[in-house]
Structure formats: structure tokens, C-alpha cells
Amino acid sequence: MAHAIEKTIIEPTEMQSNHKLDSAISRARDYLLRQQHKDGHWCFELEADCTIPAEYIIWTHFTGDLEPELGRKLAVYLREKQADHGGWPLFYDGKLDISCSVKVYFALKLVGDDINAPHMVRAREAILAYGGAARSNAFTRLTLAMFKQIPWRAVPLVPVEIMLFPRWFPFHLTKVAYWSRTVMVPLAILYSLKAEAKNPNKVDIQELFTVPPEKERNYFPARSRANKILLYVERAVRLIEPIIPSFIRKKALKKAETWVVERINGIDGLGAIFPAMVNAHESLILLDYPLDHPIRVIAKKSIQNLVVDHGESAYCQPCVSPVWDTGLAALALQEVENGRTTNQVIHALDWLKRKQILDHPADWQEIHPNLKSGGWAFQYNNAYYPDLDDTSVVAWAMDQANNSDRYGESITLACDWLRGMQSRNGGFASFETNNMHYYLNEIPFADHGALLDPPTVDVTARCVALMGRLKRSEDSESLKHALSYIRNEQEPSGSWFGRWGTNYIYGTWSVLTALEQVGIDPKEEFIRKAVHWLQEVQRPDGGWGEDNYSYYDSFIAGTYKESTPIHTAWALLGLIAVGEGNSTTVKRGVEYLLTNQDKNSWNHLAFNAPGFPRVFYLRYHGYDKFFPLWALAKYRNYINNLC
């Protein structure tokens, strides 16, 4: 394995001085508290790959409502992120991604970059070497079709008539993930009305095609045998699409419009995620909502609110993460105080309490009409789409506050809702229940392979942690089933896959932390196997790191070219949770964090989570502000308890 090569081991010092450890914790705690907003919450930047800021520029040229100064700043950011290979990757230090690179090139050309400028030449050569723009994914080709760069036959079928399919049909909106729904419904409007961008400067990117787009015949290479069959089905459907009665299309368009408008979510936008927001705004334009219509105005504002302006450069976030950041920051600060909840954390928990979603329409209710609401969303407001991960973390922090009069009802509602959202295999997904219609990932539109929201170990672990803490009799069967799911999902190496954080180190931390809350004996063989794996992948400098390419190749699980503070913190939290706090492995990891702390906190450029494995990655800027702090505090508490 990659981590088995010969190393020069750096041993820890004889003993980290209490003063050094205390000082590091105090500085990191004080820094984190300075980032707290006046109303009690935290919200750190959430950075994705360059697709999102490029799409922001493209969106303004679709509408014709240009933002020249912001476009200039976004272009600065995009140029800065160009990699040595000439294109743009999906995460820091990654390989060229053809779809991202095509969109960035297009965006830079839209803002006026000369195609003969050195950075544009390098980008164009790299894109052509990868097969050109025709090899980009379905979402990119849909954009290019709207800008009349490729014919509509080059994009997958997304007819608005999907709104009329009955639930028993092989495809139905309830059978895909929330993010797929919110993106697809307005996109179906754009596809069915054959949206045409204004493109005021009439910019084209024909130089990015190896074959003229009208002559290209290979827009849909078969991904699998099932996909090949579905491609033939789609071609047959295309033949009948022109003869669909107009009254059916009109009915479907109205249903799609109603669906979008009901979920527009005010200033936070449809689904509170950038792609859905952009599609919603563009679809409102096609549906003839006037420029000053309140819904169209607020849909536009929701997109603009995602921009992060750093002065000379700017980028656009895919969404914001205030509930997640606040819940995790609260847990870290509670650990700093050895379980005590300070006034600052109470302030944060009170803010979170007000964000709990109660008695509001939501998509999950279609499957669970009699289940009482009690979840939290990831963003400031996203009432149609609470998620189980945030709900578990927030309720965990509230329970740790040991104030049942203040938070007891919120915790009970949360745990009852979570139990009701458990999937049949014992696991918990992020937003859905039993969302395992895997054949849908084979449809031509789903070339990203992320149409679904099946149960995952990391989310399940968080639900287990909460149930384990609460020890309610009504949760006992659910907890037993979830623990069985976790055991069955353990990798042969002893690790667990991390769906929402990179990757096996994140998944393993999630599980070991949950098992601590349940009270599972850390001497059990499956736990020792996980401990051994973490020890095995520790790097020579005492830290841990993991490459996002472990989502492509599990052989490199738990390895990276260097250690990162976040992966080190996750490994330490997991190890200490199962009784390894006084081990040499943990002491070396603590020494790495102490050595690599800057004046106040930690900072590393590596992307630390997937939005969708192999497709979309994220850098949570808050992770290295609260996870290393949490790990050091947990270590201090463990050592102090030994004394």
C-alpha cells in the first residue's frame, strides 16, 4: 500500500508541557469566539471548485444583466486558480477536470480575456488534449446549448413532463435526492422551452471543439450496459417529444412553476444551493416574470448573497453552512470546558433553537406524512429540506448543555424525527429515506452519478451518537439496527468510508466517536481493527492526511502527500474516543498540531469534503478552526482525567 513505504519516524517529545498545550487551546478558543456573530452563530466561508464562480459570470450573461466590476474580480480569482496543467481541477492540487475547465474558459472569455493571452492558450490546449468541450458533462452541455454553442440533441432529455409521472413510475421526484429535485425541476423548464441566453457580447467558444458541434456524433459515450440501454430508450423518446400535445406540456409547465415558486425559500433561494437558485431564476425569466416581480427579484438576490468579495478578487459559494458550523463550534467549545457550557455557547444554542424547523411543509413528508417535524437545515433557512447530520449535531450539543428546561423539547423532537427517517437497512441518509433507486444513476442526465441520497456511515454515526447519549428506550431498536449497519459497512482495512468528509479518516472518526457515546467496549475486535488502521496510516511527522483521490481509488485510503490539521484532528478525536489518549500515536499527533498552529489557529488549502464524490468538492474554511481545537481539548481532558 502507498502508506507502507519506508519512513523516517519523528518521535514525540518526552511530554508536551501543560503550558504549551493550554496556550494553544486558549489561542484557538479565543480566535474562534472572535468569529462568533452577535446573534450567537458562526458561519465560515464555504469554497468549491471554480465551476461555481464561472457559472456566476455565465449566469449574468444569460440574463444580460452584467456586473462588470464583480465579473472582473471573479476573473482574478479564476486566473489565480489555474493549475500548472493549464486547466482547472475539482479540488486543490487536483487533475484537470474537463467540465470545470470549459466553463472557466467560457467565463473568462465572456469577461473579455483575449484568447491569445498565455493563460487562455494554455487552457485551450489542455481542454483540447482532453477531447474538447464535447467531452464535458451533461450540466455543462446544457449551458452550452442555451448559449447556442452546441445543438440541443447534444444534451440529455429533461422534459418538464416528468412533473406528471405517477409515483409508481420508474422515475419520480420522490425517488431522487433533494438536490437533484431542486436542480432538475427548473432545469426541465429551461430544457422544454429551449432557453436561449441573451449573451449580449455574442461570445462563442467554438475553438474548444475538436469536431464542429453540429457534426459531433459522440456526445453520449455509454457508461455501462444499463446506460447504453437507456440511451436507446431516450433516443426513442426524443422522436415522440415533438408530438406531445400542447395541453400536456402546458399542464406540466404550470406544475413545475408552482413547485419552484412554493419552494423559492425567500432570500435563501431554492434548495439554498447555487445551481438550483440559478436554474430557478432563469426559469422565472422564461416564464415571463417581469424584471421587478418580487419573486424574480428575491431569486436574483439569493444568488448574489453567495458572493465572497475579498477586495481585488471574489468568488461565489455553492451555499452557506451556518447551522453546521455553529453546531460543531459548540461541541468543540464544550470540550474545551470539559463538558461545561459557557454563556457564549448558550448564546449559540439559543440561536440554533430558533432555527429548528417545526410545522412547515417539506418534501420528506411525502414519504412520512404522519411523522412530526423536528430537524434543522444546513443553511440559514431551508425549511423544505432539513438534514439528519445537522439535526444530530445540534441536538448532541444541546444535550451536552445539560439544560432540559431550555432544550429538552427541541432534543426530543429532533430524536423522534431522526428515528422516523431511518432507512430499512438500518442506516441514515442526509435528507431522504430508502433513497436507493440505483438504476436512476444510469439515465443519461445522471452522468455525475449523484442523483440519489442513500444511507451513509458518517450520517448514521452521528444519529447513533445522539441516541447513544440519550439512552431512550424508544430508540433502542433503531440504535441496534444502526449499529448493525455500521458494523456491516466496515472496510476490510478496518476503516469506514466518509461520504461527507474526506474520506476514510473522516468516516472512521465519525464511527469511533459515536461508539464512545453509545458505550461500546473499545476492546472489541472491530474497534481495535479501526485503531490499527489509523496507526498504520499516521504520517512520519505525526499527523494524518488524505487525498480526495481516495474516492477514486480506495488503495490510497488515509494517505496524502502531507499531513493536514483537519485530518490529524479527526484521527485524534477517533483514537481518544476509544481509549488511546495516552498512546504514542496520539502524543505524536498532538505534537503535530501544536507545531503547526499559526498565531491563533490552523489553515490548510486542501479541500476537506465532497459535495458529491468524484464530481464536486468543498473546502470548509471553519474545519481547521474548530476540529483541531476540539482534538487538543479532548486530549487535555483525557490526560487530566488520568491524573
Side-chain angles (χ1 to χ4, degrees):
M1 293 180 65
H3 51 262
I5 58 175
E6 188 174 345
K7 308 172 182 177
T8 301
I9 301 297
I10 299 174
E11 295 295 342
T13 56
E14 188 69 25
M15 181 69 178
Q16 286 84 21
S17 71
N18 289 336
H19 174 75
K20 185 177 180 182
L21 181 61
D22 290 343
S23 175
I25 292 171
S26 295
R27 285 182 284 124
R29 176 203 60 204
D30 293 347
Y31 178 82
L32 181 58
L33 288 172
R34 288 197 297 273
Q35 311 310 309
Q36 188 175 22
H37 290 251
K38 288 183 179 180
D39 63 3
H41 83 283
W42 282 267
C43 187
F44 293 93
E45 292 180 29
L46 182 55
E47 189 175 7
D49 64 82
C50 287
T51 301
I52 302 297
E55 286 178 346
Y56 189 100
I57 293 172
I58 293 169
W59 164 65
T60 63
H61 285 258
F62 177 94
T63 64
D65 190 9
L66 307 185
E67 301 177 42
E69 179 57 18
L70 178 56
R72 182 190 68 78
K73 293 181 179 183
L74 292 168
V76 170
Y77 175 88
L78 294 174
R79 294 186 206 106
E80 289 174 347
K81 298 296 181 180
Q82 188 175 20
D84 290 342
H85 49 57
W88 285 264
L90 293 179
F91 48 83
Y92 173 73
D93 207 26
K95 299 174 184 176
L96 179 146
D97 179 78
I98 186 68
S99 300
C100 176
S101 298
V102 168
K103 281 190 172 177
V104 175
Y105 181 97
F106 192 17
L108 290 175
K109 194 171 179 182
L110 285 169
V111 298
D113 281 19
D114 187 336
I115 64 170
N116 293 314
H119 69 284
M120 296 292 277
V121 172
R122 288 197 301 120
R124 183 166 62 254
E125 290 175 349
I127 290 168
L128 291 172
Y130 269 71
R135 302 285 79 80
S136 56
N137 64 22
F139 287 113
T140 301
R141 297 203 309 277
L142 278 157
T143 296
L144 296 181
M146 290 189 288
F147 276 81
K148 298 200 291 188
Q149 300 303 297
I150 59 176
W152 279 98
R153 65 171 176 80
V155 303
L157 198 66
V158 196
V160 75
E161 285 75 18
I162 61 174
M163 302 300 299
L164 305 179
F165 292 167
R167 186 172 293 181
W168 54 260
F169 200 71
F171 180 91
H172 189 267
L173 288 180
T174 60
K175 294 181 178 179
V176 299
Y178 116 77
W179 56 79
S180 300
R181 257 173 271 147
T182 55
V183 169
M184 287 180 73
V185 174
L187 189 60
I189 297 172
L190 296 173
Y191 172 88
S192 298
L193 296 179
K194 297 298 182 283
E196 185 176 321
K198 288 189 177 179
N199 194 8
N201 298 325
K202 306 304 176 190
V203 175
D204 71 77
I205 52 168
Q206 294 302 294
E207 67 272 17
L208 294 187
F209 292 88
T210 59
V211 175
E214 292 293 340
K215 296 181 179 180
E216 176 66 58
R217 291 291 179 268
N218 193 29
Y219 285 111
F220 295 95
R223 307 191 300 271
S224 67
R225 184 177 179 182
N227 174 248
K228 187 174 183 178
I229 293 171
L230 289 170
L231 283 170
Y232 284 119
V233 172
E234 179 170 295
R235 287 170 190 168
V237 174
R238 283 182 188 273
L239 296 176
I240 65 172
E241 186 185 11
I243 61 174
I244 295 175
S246 60
F247 76 90
I248 293 179
R249 173 141 291 185
K250 186 177 180 180
K251 181 180 179 181
L253 282 168
K254 187 61 182 178
K255 189 170 183 178
E257 176 187 355
T258 301
W259 193 96
V260 169
V261 171
E262 285 177 349
R263 292 162 177 76
I264 207 70
N265 196 30
I267 206 67
D268 296 278
L270 177 62
I273 51 175
F274 176 86
M277 294 182 202
V278 168
N279 289 346
H281 181 258
E282 292 177 352
S283 69
L284 291 171
I285 295 173
L286 260 69
L287 293 170
D288 295 324
Y289 280 68
L291 185 65
D292 60 351
H293 192 286
I295 294 177
R296 180 170 164 181
V297 170
I298 206 165
K300 178 180 179 181
K301 184 62 177 173
S302 69
I303 300 167
Q304 294 172 320
N305 283 349
L306 292 175
V307 172
V308 175
D309 192 330
H310 286 300
E312 275 305 302
S313 72
Y315 74 94
C316 183
Q317 302 173 103
C319 60
V320 291
S321 54
V323 172
W324 185 240
D325 289 345
T326 303
L328 290 171
L331 286 172
L333 290 168
Q334 286 172 326
E335 190 68 52
V336 168
E337 302 298 332
N338 198 14
R340 188 173 67 88
T341 302
T342 62
N343 289 335
Q344 294 99 322
V345 174
I346 289 292
H347 194 31
L349 296 179
D350 286 348
W351 181 86
L352 287 166
K353 182 178 179 179
R354 296 191 296 272
K355 290 294 179 182
Q356 191 170 25
I357 301 166
L358 307 171
D359 302 320
H360 190 283
D363 283 7
W364 60 266
Q365 292 169 346
E366 292 192 47
I367 306 296
H368 302 284
N370 299 317
L371 180 61
K372 194 170 183 180
S373 181
W376 277 269
F378 182 75
Q379 304 91 347
Y380 285 107
N381 296 290
N382 196 10
Y384 270 88
Y385 306 107
D387 76 271
L388 284 68
D389 219 356
D390 280 270
T391 300
S392 301
V393 163
V394 172
W396 177 0
M398 285 182 169
D399 180 62
Q400 202 156 260
N402 196 27
N403 191 332
S404 58
D405 290 341
R406 200 173 194 130
Y407 306 118
E409 183 180 6
S410 295
I411 295 167
T412 297
L413 288 169
C415 201
D416 288 347
W417 181 71
L418 289 170
R419 190 178 69 251
M421 294 292 288
Q422 189 170 25
S423 291
R424 67 175 69 95
N425 66 358
F428 293 84
S430 295
F431 301 89
E432 315 291 342
T433 305
N434 298 321
N435 196 243
M436 295 175 278
H437 308 281
Y438 293 110
Y439 63 87
L440 291 175
N441 278 330
E442 299 296 336
I443 66 175
F445 172 79
D447 60 359
H448 54 301
L451 212 61
L452 308 175
D453 180 22
T456 63
V457 167
D458 42 0
V459 177
T460 302
R462 231 85 64 210
C463 296
V464 163
L466 178 63
M467 292 179 182
R469 285 189 61 85
L470 297 180
K471 295 179 172 58
R472 305 189 315 169
S473 59
E474 58 264 50
D475 299 330
S476 59
E477 284 302 311
S478 177
L479 180 57
K480 181 180 178 180
H481 200 191
L483 286 170
S484 178
Y485 168 81
I486 286 174
R487 283 177 177 261
N488 291 336
E489 290 294 311
Q490 188 174 25
E491 301 289 329
S493 66
S495 64
W496 281 272
F497 179 84
R499 164 61 180 85
W500 294 101
T502 305
N503 174 353
Y504 293 90
I505 294 176
Y506 178 88
T508 304
W509 156 69
S510 299
V511 171
L512 296 183
T513 300
L515 297 178
E516 176 191 30
Q517 300 301 316
V518 176
I520 303 294
D521 185 353
K523 293 181 181 178
E524 287 209 26
E525 184 179 352
F526 82 108
I527 295 178
R528 303 321 303 166
K529 193 174 182 181
V531 168
H532 177 72
W533 179 78
L534 284 172
Q535 293 170 336
E536 189 180 32
V537 298
Q538 187 174 27
R539 291 181 50 77
D541 61 2
W544 283 264
E546 185 160 2
D547 200 314
N548 281 299
Y549 284 112
S550 64
Y551 287 103
Y552 297 82
D553 181 5
S554 61
F555 183 75
I556 62 171
T559 68
Y560 190 42
K561 65 180 182 180
E562 60 190 10
S563 299
T564 78
I566 296 167
H567 286 103
T568 301
W570 288 335
L572 290 173
L573 286 166
L575 289 167
I576 298 169
V578 292
E580 295 294 312
N582 201 34
S583 67
T584 299
T585 301
V586 166
K587 289 178 181 178
R588 290 178 60 230
V590 168
E591 185 63 32
Y592 167 85
L593 288 181
L594 295 176
T595 301
N596 287 277
Q597 185 181 21
D598 61 21
K599 182 179 179 181
N600 295 305
S601 192
W602 294 263
N603 188 54
H604 198 282
L605 294 175
F607 278 36
N608 43 51
F612 311 119
R614 304 187 184 188
V615 178
F616 184 64
Y617 293 87
L618 302 164
R619 180 189 171 201
Y620 286 84
H621 285 226
Y623 275 16
D624 47 18
K625 306 302 180 288
F626 39 73
F627 277 119
L629 170 63
W630 188 353
L632 291 179
K634 191 171 183 70
Y635 171 73
R636 181 174 67 179
N637 293 336
Y638 185 93
I639 295 301
N640 287 344
N641 289 338
L642 291 179
C643 299

